[in-house]
Amino acid sequence: MATPSVLDKIKGQSSNGKSTARKLCLVASKGSLDMAYPPLILANAARMSGIDVDIYFTFWGLDIITKSKMNKVNMSTVGNPAFSMAPYAPWFKIPTWMGIIPGMSRIATWMMNREIAKLDFPPIPEFIETLVDTGARLYGCKMSMDMMNLTEDDLVDGAEILGAMEFMEISKDAQVMFV
Amino acid sequence: MTLTIDLSILENLEFDDDGFMVDHDVWTPEIGAAIAAVLEIEMSARHWDVINFVRKEYETNGEAPTLRRITKAGGIPTKELYTLFTGGPAKIAAQVAGLAKPTGCI
């Protein structure tokens, strides 16, 4: 028989077959490309580690799970003082006024999508599909949906509508992160 | 693959504090089966498909594949991966395969 400490070490990592105590609730409130990925990446990392995940999409974050918009999530080039040409020319800080030049957002979106693909991260629609398959639960904020005249049919398969008070219920024993 | 499970083979192996094997190259399927038994996983042929793919990738590239690669190149759908290794497929597959704790983000 192997020494208990070895077995404990091995067991320590795992919660296989048991429900995990840890739960994460993410609020995704932004609809620009650079702000859409962080909650998705964190949610996926949590599921890969066996942590339970709920993602609540609210305001512009709803675009990420809206069928007609999820393919068109763009980089915003205005109002971002950190905007630069990284990784092509990290020394070139793009002046904020330049962000308003027509076509800048499209170029920035194209570049970022290319860099994301290079790292083998999926495009947003595929990422959402993967997250549903991992068992992450996706919710559209009821108030935001009413405001934007959306119904459950407008959301990706697997997403549900949830009110703010219901979000309080599901996030009761969870760590909550607002993005 | 049916293997006799013998936990005593774990005795002389070195594991890090997180329970991952330190020397990835001394791994054998018997060791994998013993680790899985400690984790209370009943290994099926499908579990072994995952583990064998992970090992093959490690032997070719020197590191454990990301889950995305297991699904895309290994042909095991995401849903199934999460059913096979409910407590977090990335960590558990690497652990059973005798590799280091995965650091990839996808």
Side-chain angles (χ1 to χ4, degrees), chain B residues 20-66:
Chain B
F20 290 80
M21 262 175 82
V22 174
D23 187 353
H24 316 311
D25 296 320
V26 299
W27 184 90
T28 61
E30 287 76 15
I31 293 174
I35 297 174
V38 177
L39 297 174
E40 296 171 32
I41 301 168
E42 261 184 62
M43 295 291 282
S44 67
R46 267 320 248 181
H47 285 90
W48 282 112
D49 286 345
V50 178
I51 302 303
N52 292 335
F53 178 77
V54 170
R55 281 304 301 185
K56 203 176 82 197
E57 284 282 303
Y58 166 71
E59 275 147 32
T60 324
N61 309 321
E63 55 184 32
T66 58

Side-chain angles (χ1 to χ4, degrees), chain A residues 1 13 16-17 120 126, chain B residues 11 15 18 41 68 86 95:
Chain A
M1 193 66 195
Q13 269 295 312
N16 198 57
D120 200 30
E126 193 190 328
Chain B
E11 212 164 312
F15 286 83
D18 295 321
I41 301 168
R68 185 159 156 79
T86 47
Q95 203 180 8

